Amino acid sequence: MEERLSRLLFVLVAAVLLLLIGYQYVCPADSCYFGSGDQGLFQRHSSGFGLMDAEPDPDEDFPTKITSKFNFTERDLDRHVAFDIRGDDVMVFLHIQKTGGTTFGRHLVKNIQLEQPCDCMPGQRKCTCHRPGKAESWLFSRFSTGWSCGLHADWTELTSCVPVVMNKKDRKSPQKGKRNFYYITMLRDPVSRYLSEWKHVQRGATWKTALHMCDGRPPTRDELPACYSGEDWTGVPLADFMNCPSNLANNRQVRMLADLSLVGCYNMSSMSELERGRVLLASAKANLRNMAFFGLTEFQRKTQFLFERTFGLHFIRAFTQINSTRAASVGISEKVRWRIEALNALDMELYEYAKELFLRRYQDSRQRQHLEERLRRRQERQQLHRNYLVQLLRLGGGADEEEEEVVKEEVVTTEDYSSQVVRW
């Protein structure tokens, strides 16, 4: 009688434990709600941006919901590159002036955790970034290969120049030197970038050695007239800077990301200004969207996170958001701001497009990361519970192997139900 009572009691305890375990599978970490109101049983598992609300980025403001203006596909948002640093893959950094590219470029050569870190010698501007066990470079950038395709080469220049330079550098023939080139870049708010470039030019910068190669030749003087007559434009007032019609600071980000051969390169007479702008903007958007990665100067931590998720590489130190820039210290009137925005109308539209794409990629990647971590924690709990039940059966009455298998099947059944609830 006592033995039968003990077995009955054990069955009841085991049943209660199974119910509790099942509840933990279905509702881990207080994810279920049973009270009144709009929050239902599966509120935390519904689609949307709820996961982002729970863990806001500590160093940056982030909208809980983004007003969708552009129709991005799942392919546009899901960015993961199987970057083979041991093979023939090459990361190409398109460095646009005054977008924080110098800082990001230094991160690439000095701040990534690598099996074979870049060799950066004190006093030298360039680092040697070789693949593990090979005398070949995996990175094409200012701080690794120098300005091999010209000073601040744009998309048009890089795509035609980089394969030739890399094959020559690594002594590979075009036939045997097939590579995957992964282009990356940084963008910045157009008004801030424009003011930063003006301050830079005002201090003596010219970039006059830039090649601007397109369709095999540089632009003529008539196609690209100089904005100044002396050695440089030192001390130029903002009004004069804005009044030069051939100033490449205007819409620089669109020009450097577009395929210039589509509009006759720098020949402005090949089509109307309106048509030229339309073609350049569409090309810049397409190239940016199809790049392996781009970051935004205004979102340093998110840029770091997306780069790490995209390439599977990790930085040693966290990125720092610096808002006290020279551009930020420039006081301008609303009228001047409107003028700058008008001069950079294409860049303004590109940046709006890029910002939504960037933030949506960030949200999508964060959601995927949370789901991966949740799945990993659930699998760990399931294994612990499975081991616990087996031990409990052994302690409760010397369960044989057949009974242990029954327990395991019940646990698996509960796991399957749990996963269906989460997906639903």
Side-chain angles (χ1 to χ4, degrees):
M1 184 67 179
E2 291 181 359
E3 182 179 352
R4 183 177 301 175
L5 186 61
S6 297
R7 282 187 172 275
L8 179 60
L9 183 60
F10 172 77
V11 170
L12 290 173
V13 171
V16 172
L17 285 173
L18 283 173
L19 286 173
L20 289 174
I21 293 169
Y23 175 78
Q24 286 297 317
Y25 291 156
V26 177
C27 302
D30 299 326
S31 61
C32 293
Y33 296 85
F34 297 98
S36 59
D38 296 332
Q39 291 181 317
L41 175 63
F42 307 113
Q43 179 69 21
R44 289 288 183 89
H45 299 300
S46 62
S47 62
F49 305 122
L51 291 172
M52 289 303 306
D53 298 339
E55 294 187 22
D57 198 332
D59 68 322
E60 296 163 353
D61 293 333
F62 189 84
T64 55
K65 290 186 178 180
I66 300 174
T67 303
S68 179
K69 183 177 179 180
F70 306 99
N71 295 321
F72 296 117
T73 66
E74 184 176 350
R75 181 181 179 275
D76 297 331
L77 300 181
D78 184 12
R79 267 295 180 272
H80 177 75
V81 172
F83 186 72
D84 185 6
I85 198 170
R86 289 179 166 274
D88 293 317
D89 293 353
V90 178
M91 192 182 300
V92 183
F93 180 35
L94 194 164
H95 185 172
I96 302 174
Q97 290 95 318
K98 312 313 294 179
T99 59
T102 298
T103 299
F104 185 76
R106 289 197 179 104
H107 281 307
L108 293 176
V109 298
K110 295 183 177 181
N111 193 26
I112 297 183
Q113 297 176 7
L114 296 172
E115 179 182 345
Q116 181 174 326
C118 295
D119 185 12
C120 300
M121 302 295 292
Q124 295 184 1
R125 291 193 175 185
K126 290 194 299 183
C127 303
T128 302
C129 297
H130 282 165
R131 308 180 192 279
K134 296 181 181 180
E136 298 178 2
S137 180
W138 59 268
L139 175 65
F140 188 99
S141 76
R142 167 189 179 181
F143 292 117
S144 58
T145 53
W147 301 113
S148 301
C149 290
L151 179 63
H152 286 286
D154 55 37
W155 189 91
T156 307
E157 294 175 288
L158 288 176
T159 51
S160 62
C161 169
V162 169
V164 177
V165 170
M166 293 301 293
N167 286 337
K168 183 177 180 181
K169 184 179 180 65
D170 296 335
R171 297 184 177 87
K172 288 192 175 185
S173 66
Q175 291 75 23
K176 295 182 179 180
K178 298 297 183 182
R179 308 171 189 267
N180 294 318
F181 294 101
Y182 296 99
Y183 286 81
I184 63 175
T185 194
M186 291 287 293
L187 295 183
R188 185 179 181 183
D189 167 73
V191 174
S192 297
R193 199 215 64 80
Y194 189 84
L195 290 172
S196 181
E197 180 165 341
W198 164 59
K199 296 298 289 184
H200 199 55
V201 168
Q202 194 180 54
R203 295 191 302 274
T206 62
W207 300 299
K208 62 171 60 177
T209 58
L211 301 176
H212 305 304
M213 294 292 291
C214 180
D215 285 351
R217 69 173 182 87
T220 65
R221 286 181 175 269
D222 291 335
E223 291 174 335
L224 189 59
C227 286
Y228 53 91
S229 57
E231 287 297 316
D232 54 41
W233 216 1
T234 300
V236 58
L238 179 58
D240 292 350
F241 189 77
M242 292 189 294
N243 286 336
C244 179
S246 60
N247 190 349
L248 291 180
N250 301 339
N251 293 312
R252 183 179 287 279
Q253 295 179 102
V254 165
R255 181 184 61 79
M256 292 189 68
L257 290 174
D259 181 357
L260 299 180
S261 63
L262 297 175
V263 295
C265 299
Y266 292 89
N267 181 6
M268 302 299 175
S269 63
S270 61
M271 62 181 66
S272 69
E273 183 179 354
L274 185 63
E275 178 66 9
R276 179 183 178 86
R278 185 191 66 79
V279 173
L280 286 176
L281 180 60
S283 177
K285 286 181 177 179
N287 289 337
L288 183 72
R289 185 177 63 250
N290 293 322
M291 278 184 171
F293 164 83
F294 72 89
L296 297 183
T297 309
E298 290 76 17
F299 299 94
Q300 290 292 316
R301 293 290 181 88
K302 291 177 176 61
T303 293
Q304 176 180 355
F305 173 81
L306 278 179
F307 180 92
E308 292 177 338
R309 291 281 294 181
T310 299
F311 286 98
L313 299 171
H314 298 278
F315 291 99
I316 301 168
R317 297 175 302 279
F319 286 16
T320 302
Q321 186 70 47
I322 301 176
N323 295 317
S324 57
T325 61
R326 289 188 174 91
S329 64
V330 177
I332 57 174
S333 65
E334 282 298 308
K335 185 177 180 180
V336 172
R337 174 174 289 275
W338 293 338
R339 175 83 189 283
I340 294 174
E341 290 178 354
L343 289 171
N344 294 273
L346 299 180
D347 271 12
M348 294 294 293
E349 188 166 343
L350 175 68
Y351 186 77
E352 183 182 18
Y353 179 88
K355 186 175 181 180
E356 181 178 327
L357 178 57
F358 176 86
L359 293 179
R360 287 197 172 278
R361 282 180 178 175
Y362 178 80
Q363 284 188 326
D364 183 76
S365 189
R366 274 292 189 193
Q367 285 183 313
R368 292 175 187 273
Q369 183 190 53
H370 285 310
L371 291 175
E372 290 167 4
E373 292 176 352
R374 184 181 297 169
L375 177 61
R376 177 182 56 79
R377 291 195 299 267
R378 182 180 294 117
Q379 290 173 340
E380 290 175 354
R381 287 198 304 270
Q382 289 169 350
Q383 185 60 45
L384 288 173
H385 291 155
R386 185 183 297 114
N387 295 339
Y388 175 73
L389 285 176
V390 170
Q391 293 298 323
L392 186 64
L393 278 176
R394 288 174 177 171
L395 292 173
D400 55 25
E401 293 183 1
E402 184 177 350
E403 289 175 318
E404 290 181 10
E405 289 299 322
V406 170
V407 171
K408 291 179 181 179
E409 289 178 5
E410 290 176 350
V411 172
V412 170
T413 302
T414 309
E415 292 171 10
D416 291 342
Y417 173 70
S418 171
S419 62
Q420 292 170 8
V421 170
V422 172
R423 287 195 299 270
W424 185 89

